Amino acid sequence: MKKFNCDFSVPANTQAEAEMKMDALTILATFLTADELKKLAHVVKNDPIKTSLAKSYLGV
């Protein structure tokens, strides 16, 4: 699989938080397909009950 460089900004309160978010996003992008990421984003954006259940399961 090819790798592509992209420049974008991440909302965060600190540089450390932004880097932590980027690390997490990189892992998600590595292990999920584009379609899976799109569906995950849709659930997070549009289904607060499923998102709440997922956060509870993750302990956050």
Side-chain angles (χ1 to χ4, degrees):
M1 182 181 304
K2 291 183 179 183
K3 291 185 179 182
F4 298 92
N5 291 323
C6 298
D7 293 322
F8 59 95
S9 59
V10 177
N13 292 321
T14 65
Q15 178 72 26
E17 182 183 0
E19 290 174 6
M20 189 183 309
K21 285 182 172 186
M22 287 304 304
D23 289 343
L25 290 169
T26 300
I27 290 169
L28 291 173
T30 300
F31 288 95
L32 298 175
T33 66
D35 190 48
E36 291 167 340
L37 282 170
K38 185 176 180 179
K39 289 179 182 182
L40 177 60
H42 177 79
V43 169
V44 170
K45 184 176 180 182
N46 298 303
D47 196 334
I49 294 172
K50 286 181 184 173
T51 302
S52 179
L53 286 171
K55 287 180 178 182
S56 176
Y57 176 77
L58 295 170
V60 293

